[in-house]
Amino acid sequence: MIIVPVKDGENIERALKKFKRKFEKTGVVRELRARQQYDKPSVLKRLKMEHAVYVQKLRSVEE
């Protein structure tokens, strides 16, 4: 359960923003979307490899 302590006089918008940030960090929505469809392990492996190559290219350009 996510608990967001709200100080006296604190703006409700700021508290809501804190809640949304904490909720996003838990990864619940990301996991829910991933579970909506089944991806074969080979497809996941290929996507992971493509992402690693992409990140490596980005890092080599920065240097």
Side-chain angles (χ1 to χ4, degrees):
M1 182 162 69
I2 300 174
I3 298 173
V4 180
V6 180
K7 299 175 184 172
D8 289 337
E10 186 176 11
N11 190 354
I12 190 70
E13 299 296 326
R14 175 170 256 149
L16 188 59
K17 192 172 184 179
K18 284 182 186 178
F19 172 78
K20 287 181 180 179
R21 195 176 312 127
K22 281 188 175 186
F23 184 74
E24 187 66 32
K25 282 186 177 182
T26 61
V28 173
V29 176
R30 189 180 314 128
E31 184 179 343
L32 179 68
R33 287 183 181 154
R35 288 183 181 214
Q36 284 182 348
Q37 67 181 24
Y38 176 76
D39 293 323
K40 293 175 20 178
S42 60
V43 173
L44 293 176
K45 184 178 176 184
R46 187 179 70 234
L47 290 175
K48 188 176 179 181
M49 182 62 79
E50 288 175 359
H51 179 72
V53 169
Y54 172 75
V55 169
Q56 202 169 33
K57 283 183 182 179
L58 282 180
R59 289 186 178 162
S60 67
V61 171
E62 290 177 358
E63 295 175 349

